[in-house]
Amino acid sequence: MPSALLQRPGRVAPAASRTAPKRRTRVFALAEARWAAAALVLFLIALPLQLTGAPAWAWGPLYAAAYVTGGWEPAWAGLTALREKTLDVDLLMIVAAIGAASIGQVMDGALLIVIFATSGALEALATARTQDAVRGLLDLAPATATRLADDGTEENVATEDLVVGDIVLIRPGERVGADGRVLEGASEVDQTTITGEPLPVAKGAGDEVFAGTVNGTGVLQVKVERDPSDSVIARIVAMVEEASETKAPTQLFIEKVEQRYSLGMVFATLAVFLIPLAFGADLTGSLLRAMTFMIVASPCAVVLATMPPLLSAIANAGRHGVLVKSAVVMERLGQVDAAALDKTGTLTQGTPRVTDIRPLPGSGLHEDTLLALAAAVEHPSEHPLARAVVDAARTRGLAITGMRDFTSTPGVGVTATVDGHTVAVGAPAPLLDDSHDTCSVRAAEVAADLENGGRTAVLVLRDGAPAGVLGLADRLRPDAAATVAALTTLTGSTPVLVTGDNPRAAARLAAEVGITGDDVHAALLPQEKVEAVQRLQAHGRKVLVIGDGVNDAPALAAAHTGIAMGRAGSDLALQTADAVIVRDELATVPTVVNLSRTARRLVVQNLLIAAVFISGLVIWDLAGHLPLPLGVLGHEGSTVIVGLNGLRLLRDAAWNRAAKDLR
């Protein structure tokens, strides 16, 4: 099957639909289909003329025209390959058709050309439909955007001309043209095509938006933060292009064998022709049998057995937010029998949240007042823990009081004046400063209790006295436990956790998702993660590593197959990984592994189908009398069956079935 050469479509007005416009190649838009149709029409005109006894001059030129229209393209391809010292099966088919015509079997040769051309057109159409499935991703991003100049004037520009720092205007119903952050305005944005979220997400000043998402009813001004060539959509396109140009090991092996097989088939055809002739057989009968043998023994179906299932699986996975970088990776995904998972950003969302609010006795504060006090001080800070405290206060509907004299000390915390009180928020150890008064001892005990439970403790001081302690923890992904269970089912063993986090936090989270005991490896440096993966591989395991950060990149590279979480993943992890989860849905990992296994099963099915047809037809031709038209029909029919069988994985039903089988 030809590589899927993805070209960017012409510029069109921004679309306002919820999903990408459907692309569907028309049959007669393909040159192969037009030539095949012309050959078929000529054949259907000539055949009744011949059968009704019309003179040869009436139907002969029509058959000749059918030979030319249906055969010139494969003949040219075969001669081009021969010039590069490669024997192409297309050329063998043309030789067989000409050989049939040379012994008076003009109609049989024309039938071979018509069926062969029709088969080629069907393959081209199947390839085009595969490309349609992945090329639709290109339509997610609009071709143009409205850029705002410094004086406020609007300019309509191509999205590829946008640069980091540009301000673009997104009107209601328009698609976002580049990844960026909202400067002004409020709206709801449909992110289904990128993140998989089923409902529109509220966006306001400071929120991130992605290229290809659809704006709701509000107007947004967005500052471009990522070059259009590096947006999520651009990554999708680049990875799909890369995937379409690769060949799986099975395909490479088949192509290597194909050349030797084709040469052997030529010598075998000569033997089938010459040996009976040497024993007095009829010239016409011997040549016809040899031509039939050449046709039915050709490995067309074998050659087509591998790539359609794998490319279809890649296209289907891409539509569901999993970018598999090559056919090699898609084949290898189905081989994994062990999994290693990172914690932060993989099993968790990578964003902390407030889980505990512990006012200290004697502070006079309740939970809400303690949280509001901490949020007032943390409000100017950009630290992830500070953002979590402020978000928790807003979620509870608490008023965040104004403050002054804000200072920040790295490694310690922040300090500000709130309602006349000096309030400090930060790490317990440096703020307590080895104090041994009763209140400080109690604060240290509460902090230690929270940390023993796998949480990060944040101490709040008011006028130098401990007022309370907040506990924060990362958010576990909703689908984390189900993913671990599904990977356990697929691989036959529980995944291992490899994380740089502290052992207490790692053990607590691992227990929540079903990973226990020796399968938890914590406080690991990047090289130690690699060593953990290598230990598994030393026992013959084919390890799948899933991670997101720079510290995961070495393990992703060392693994049999590596998958990166794309939404928050580092650039290094995304480049190193073999596949990327664009929509940040961890549950898609076992689904794509199961889909890969389905693709591998279809490859085996296709090879068996091809082998049965070829061996059956060859035995029939050698042991009996196989009519040339029937041989052509059997050979081309098996090729079409194999191609269509592989393309079954293009359907959404294949993805849904792969997910359902894991439940």
Side-chain angles (χ1 to χ4, degrees):
M1 178 177 288
S3 295
L5 303 176
L6 304 180
Q7 301 295 330
R8 187 176 182 85
R11 294 177 184 174
V12 295
S17 60
R18 175 179 170 87
T19 57
K22 295 290 185 183
R23 286 176 163 268
R24 191 170 180 85
T25 300
R26 295 181 179 180
V27 174
F28 289 105
L30 301 171
E32 295 91 342
R34 295 195 296 270
W35 288 116
L40 176 61
V41 169
L42 291 167
F43 178 82
L44 292 177
I45 296 174
L47 181 60
L49 291 175
Q50 182 187 17
L51 295 178
T52 56
W57 59 262
W59 48 263
L62 294 173
Y63 278 136
Y67 273 77
V68 173
T69 54
W72 79 267
E73 205 166 33
W76 180 258
L79 290 172
T80 302
L82 193 62
R83 191 181 304 121
E84 298 174 359
K85 298 181 180 180
T86 301
L87 187 59
D88 195 291
V89 292
D90 289 357
L91 186 60
L92 297 181
M93 293 296 101
I94 300 302
V95 170
I98 294 173
S102 69
I103 57 175
Q105 303 289 330
V106 178
M107 186 271 287
D108 291 341
L111 179 61
L112 169 58
I113 289 292
V114 169
I115 295 179
F116 188 63
T118 303
S119 174
L122 288 174
E123 291 177 27
L125 180 62
T127 302
R129 293 288 165 83
T130 305
Q131 294 177 31
D132 292 342
V134 295
R135 190 160 46 206
L137 297 168
L138 289 164
D139 294 315
L140 293 175
T144 60
T146 303
R147 182 168 60 191
L148 297 178
D150 293 338
D151 59 2
T153 57
E154 299 179 7
E155 180 185 8
N156 199 40
V157 299
T159 51
E160 58 261 33
D161 293 336
L162 294 174
V163 297
V164 175
D166 280 350
I167 309 299
V168 294
L169 182 68
I170 314 295
R171 294 185 173 88
E174 290 185 345
R175 287 187 179 272
V176 179
D179 293 356
R181 198 166 297 276
V182 177
L183 289 182
E184 293 183 19
S187 184
E188 290 188 338
V189 176
D190 186 347
Q191 302 187 149
T192 305
T193 53
I194 302 299
T195 66
E197 294 166 285
L199 298 176
V201 179
K203 298 289 184 180
D207 292 328
E208 186 178 15
V209 292
F210 302 103
T213 55
V214 182
N215 186 23
T217 57
V219 178
L220 299 176
Q221 288 188 21
V222 175
K223 182 177 182 180
V224 178
E225 290 192 335
R226 188 177 291 124
D227 190 275
S229 63
D230 193 39
S231 69
V232 171
I233 294 300
R235 289 176 181 175
I236 291 175
V237 175
M239 290 177 183
V240 169
E241 286 179 333
E242 181 181 349
S244 68
E245 294 170 359
T246 61
K247 295 178 180 179
T250 302
Q251 178 71 12
L252 293 173
F253 174 76
I254 288 173
E255 291 182 359
K256 184 178 180 180
V257 172
E258 178 195 356
Q259 286 302 302
R260 298 176 182 177
Y261 179 90
S262 298
L263 288 173
M265 191 182 70
V266 171
F267 289 113
T269 300
L270 292 174
V272 170
F273 171 60
L274 295 175
I275 292 176
L277 202 62
F279 286 92
D282 177 61
L283 173 64
T284 299
S286 297
L287 185 57
L288 188 59
R289 184 187 295 271
M291 293 299 100
T292 304
F293 175 84
M294 176 181 287
I295 293 167
V296 300
S298 294
C300 296
V302 175
V303 173
L304 202 63
T306 302
M307 291 309 289
L310 295 176
L311 288 180
S312 298
I314 289 172
N316 201 339
R319 289 202 311 270
H320 290 88
V322 183
L323 303 183
V324 180
K325 292 185 178 181
S326 69
V328 176
V329 175
M330 180 54 74
E331 189 173 36
R332 288 165 68 93
L333 273 169
Q335 300 171 347
V336 298
D337 57 8
L341 305 171
D342 174 47
K343 172 183 168 288
T344 305
T346 302
L347 286 175
T348 68
Q349 296 178 354
T351 54
R353 61 187 175 91
V354 175
T355 58
D356 299 85
I357 305 173
R358 304 274 189 90
L360 294 175
S363 66
L365 300 178
H366 299 288
E367 287 189 2
D368 284 354
T369 51
L370 175 64
L371 180 60
L373 193 65
V377 179
E378 295 277 27
H379 188 260
S381 175
E382 291 298 324
H383 193 281
L385 296 181
R387 295 293 89 205
V389 171
V390 174
D391 289 344
R394 286 175 173 167
T395 300
R396 291 193 174 207
L398 305 178
I400 300 178
T401 308
M403 56 82 207
R404 57 187 177 84
D405 302 328
F406 174 85
T407 59
S408 175
T409 306
V412 178
V414 294
T415 304
T417 300
V418 181
D419 293 335
H421 297 281
T422 301
V423 181
V425 181
L431 288 180
L432 290 174
D433 195 24
D434 296 326
S435 299
H436 298 289
D437 59 273
T438 303
C439 199
S440 296
V441 170
R442 176 57 182 159
E445 290 174 350
V446 173
D449 180 59
L450 290 173
E451 290 174 348
N452 288 334
R455 295 164 177 79
T456 299
V458 173
L459 178 66
V460 180
L461 298 180
R462 186 174 62 172
D463 295 329
V469 183
L470 304 179
L472 294 92
D474 201 351
R475 300 170 186 264
L476 184 68
R477 291 182 184 273
D479 52 0
T483 299
V484 169
L487 288 173
T488 301
T489 301
L490 280 171
T491 62
S493 60
T494 304
V496 299
L497 180 65
V498 288
T499 177
D501 206 347
N502 69 78
R504 290 193 302 270
R508 180 187 61 82
L509 181 134
E512 290 184 38
V513 299
I515 302 176
T516 58
D518 295 337
D519 294 324
V520 180
H521 305 276
L524 300 182
L525 296 173
Q527 182 54 39
E528 291 172 327
K529 288 188 177 184
V530 173
E531 292 170 358
V533 172
Q534 290 174 339
R535 282 195 297 271
L536 287 171
Q537 294 183 151
H539 289 88
R541 310 300 294 274
K542 295 178 179 177
V543 182
L544 169 67
V545 171
I546 309 166
D548 74 308
V550 172
N551 60 339
D552 298 317
L556 291 169
H560 179 267
T561 310
I563 296 181
M565 303 302 294
R567 187 173 180 183
S570 70
D571 288 341
L572 182 59
L574 297 179
Q575 293 170 8
T576 305
D578 300 305
V580 177
I581 308 299
V582 175
R583 296 180 184 173
D584 228 32
E585 296 176 355
L586 189 61
T588 57
V589 173
T591 303
V592 76
V593 171
N594 205 23
L595 185 68
S596 171
R597 294 187 176 183
T598 302
R600 286 166 56 83
R601 286 195 296 271
L602 287 187
V603 169
V604 174
Q605 287 180 17
N606 284 347
L607 291 173
L608 288 175
I609 291 170
V612 168
F613 268 86
I614 291 174
S615 58
L617 293 172
V618 165
I619 292 172
W620 187 353
D621 183 55
L622 294 179
H625 175 67
L626 175 62
L628 179 60
L630 192 56
V632 170
L633 189 61
H635 174 268
E636 298 302 331
S638 66
T639 303
V640 172
I641 289 172
V642 163
L644 294 179
N645 190 43
L647 294 177
R648 287 164 48 198
L649 294 186
L650 272 177
R651 299 180 300 171
D652 285 338
W655 179 270
N656 296 335
R657 192 179 303 111
K660 184 179 179 181
D661 290 345
L662 298 171
R663 294 172 189 159

